[in-house]
Amino acid sequence: MTNAASLSLPTCFNQVEPLSDNLRFVAVDVETAGYDIASICQIGFAFVGFDSSIVTYSAFIDPCTPFAAGNTRLHGIDAATVRNAPKFAEVLPDLRPVLEAYPLIQHSRYDEKAFDAACRLAGLQMLKSVWSDSVAIARQAWPELRGNGGHGLANLKKVLGLQFRHHDAGEDARAAAEVTLKAEASMGRKIRLLNASQQLVFDFQ
């Protein structure tokens, strides 16, 4: 079991209190500065307990690259926003113990690919994490949405009545966590931890 000390986030996340080490999974979302998927400019986490409680944190990251106008229009983050923010290589060492200790949920495979690309760019070891996709979970729970708005967060927000600000990393991470929990409630089945390796297995498969 990971101890409480290892659940301290980098100071840029403005952590209010220690995270419980009784976590079930962590939902992750990133925003990027440009078309290079490695250009992470914001990281968001939603820490989900076994009691279905959700604690959300996010922080801006200096991507060390110019911002594309289209990306800024989407998420509202620009060079001024990340001025004085830490670089990815500065925060990953403190994030690694948490992200490698618990299963990670992402909505689509974008976030995992972004972390991998950012690690490669910074010359850092890839995360040894177990990722699962809440899009796949949503497809299992609500197959009727295929071809009827789809399983993206924007449509799930409307269908499930979720309240969040899309394209904010912390808000999107929380939404991915809520999608996962609502899918379980809809199907009447849990996504359970298989073993100590923390691989996810779907009871409904």
Side-chain angles (χ1 to χ4, degrees):
M1 174 63 69
T2 303
N3 60 46
S6 67
L7 295 181
S8 294
L9 299 175
T11 57
C12 59
F13 285 88
N14 297 315
Q15 186 175 349
V16 176
E17 57 187 30
L19 292 169
S20 168
D21 60 359
N22 192 30
L23 295 176
R24 187 170 169 219
F25 64 86
V26 182
V28 182
D29 187 83
V30 302
E31 300 296 331
T32 52
Y35 305 117
D36 183 350
I37 198 171
S39 62
I40 294 174
C41 62
Q42 188 186 31
I43 301 174
F45 299 119
F47 299 93
V48 181
F50 283 92
D51 59 355
S52 297
S53 61
I54 304 176
V55 178
T56 307
Y57 287 104
S58 66
F60 295 116
I61 303 295
D62 182 354
C64 302
T65 189
F67 279 78
N71 290 52
T72 294
R73 282 195 298 271
L74 196 64
H75 49 52
I77 304 169
D78 60 15
T81 310
V82 302
R83 188 175 296 124
N84 300 321
K87 298 175 177 61
F88 179 81
E90 295 171 338
V91 299
L92 187 67
D94 289 333
L95 293 177
R96 189 182 293 275
V98 178
L99 298 182
E100 293 184 345
Y102 298 99
L104 305 183
I105 293 285
Q106 59 187 321
H107 201 76
S108 84
R109 310 302 298 190
Y110 187 87
D111 308 284
E112 178 183 6
K113 292 176 181 177
F115 267 88
D116 285 350
C119 285
R120 282 194 296 269
L121 184 64
L124 301 173
Q125 183 180 14
M126 303 290 185
L127 288 174
K128 296 178 180 178
S129 303
V130 177
W131 294 82
S132 191
D133 185 359
S134 54
V135 172
I137 296 169
R139 285 172 179 161
Q140 293 281 350
W142 304 287
E144 68 277 8
L145 296 181
R146 188 184 299 272
N148 186 29
H151 297 87
L153 283 182
N155 191 52
L156 290 174
K157 178 179 183 178
K158 178 176 61 177
V159 172
L160 302 179
L162 303 177
Q163 300 295 319
F164 67 97
R165 187 171 69 257
H166 201 10
H167 299 300
D168 173 90
E171 298 267 328
D172 283 353
R174 185 181 186 91
E178 290 179 342
V179 166
T180 301
L181 296 176
K182 285 181 177 291
E184 290 182 331
S186 177
M187 295 181 294
R189 300 182 179 94
K190 288 285 187 181
I191 300 168
R192 56 186 171 84
L193 292 180
L194 181 60
N195 52 35
S197 69
Q198 311 238 343
Q199 292 180 339
L200 289 180
V201 61
F202 298 94
D203 285 342
F204 50 81
Q205 286 184 338

